[in-house]
Amino acid sequence: MPAARIGPNSIIQTVAVLREVFTPDELRTLLTGETASYLSHLPHEMIPEVQFHELVDLLTAQLGVERAGEILYRSGELTADYVRANRIPAPIRTVLALLPAPISLRVFLPAISKHAWTFAGSGAFHFSIGRTPLVSIGKSVNRDTSKIAAVLCRYYCGAFTQLLRRVVSSRISLREVACQARSGSACVYQIVM
Ligand SMILES: [Zn+2]
């Protein structure tokens, strides 16, 4: 099986948030090993998913789940802003913003599923657009991510929340109904409008 890949924004935006939160000296202490290279050189192409997971591993070990989770949530938001600006044509964004939210969601979720790997990596993305709309991301198929599942969950939640708020309706919020970090096979978020 080829190594699973993920968009470079997973690392680019996480490092951007770290630069907002920490001084350059603190960052040189925090980012050790392979991750130290991100201070001088960020990826621009798709990367092996394991590189993102190793960065999350490091942050979780150094900062704890809660603080690492806050950083990854913000990174997810910034990743969503990138996806919105670069993967959704402006005329489509305009139409989606004008439609009633439930209809906009019906159009948007199938479209975004093509780009979900950008932030989901090898975790399978699913959605449901019924009376109770849902999005979910399954576990990485390549690697045991149980130690960082709670932090990855914050990244997914930040990305989906921001994307749906910016594209579909600013009133949307997500309610997590199952989580990889709590013995679920996927993080499942109910879309509340
Ligand atoms: Zn979760």
Side-chain angles (χ1 to χ4, degrees), residues 153 176 178-180 187 189:
C153 175
E176 197 176 26
C179 185
Q180 297 178 40
C187 289
Y189 308 95

Side-chain angles (χ1 to χ4, degrees), residues 135-149:
V135 287
S136 71
I137 292 187
K139 285 182 179 166
S140 165
V141 297
N142 288 55
R143 165 164 205 269
D144 177 9
T145 52
S146 52
K147 284 205 177 95
I148 56 172

Side-chain angles (χ1 to χ4, degrees), residues 15 18-19 24 26-31 34-42:
V15 172
L18 290 172
R19 286 188 185 282
E26 288 170 334
L27 280 184
R28 276 190 288 276
T29 307
L30 179 64
L31 297 181
E34 295 281 309
T35 66
S37 68
Y38 300 144
L39 295 175
S40 57
H41 178 79
L42 287 166

Side-chain angles (χ1 to χ4, degrees), residues 86-177:
N86 294 280
R87 299 279 181 266
I88 308 169
I92 305 280
R93 295 203 300 262
T94 304
V95 171
L96 288 172
L98 290 171
L99 288 170
I103 296 171
S104 178
L105 195 65
R106 279 176 180 273
V107 176
F108 182 58
L109 286 179
I112 200 61
S113 67
K114 294 191 196 78
H115 299 292
W117 67 270
T118 309
F119 48 86
S122 67
F125 173 81
H126 293 290
F127 64 89
S128 154
I129 33 183
R131 184 186 290 265
T132 310
L134 301 165
V135 287
S136 71
I137 292 187
K139 285 182 179 166
S140 165
V141 297
N142 288 55
R143 165 164 205 269
D144 177 9
T145 52
S146 52
K147 284 205 177 95
I148 56 172
V151 178
L152 288 176
C153 175
R154 301 311 294 154
Y155 180 69
Y156 305 145
C157 189
F160 282 131
T161 301
Q162 178 78 344
L163 200 52
L164 293 172
R165 279 186 182 160
R166 296 293 305 280
V167 175
V168 174
S169 165
S170 59
R171 290 199 301 277
I172 281 179
S173 61
L174 297 189
R175 184 187 301 147
E176 197 176 26
V177 293

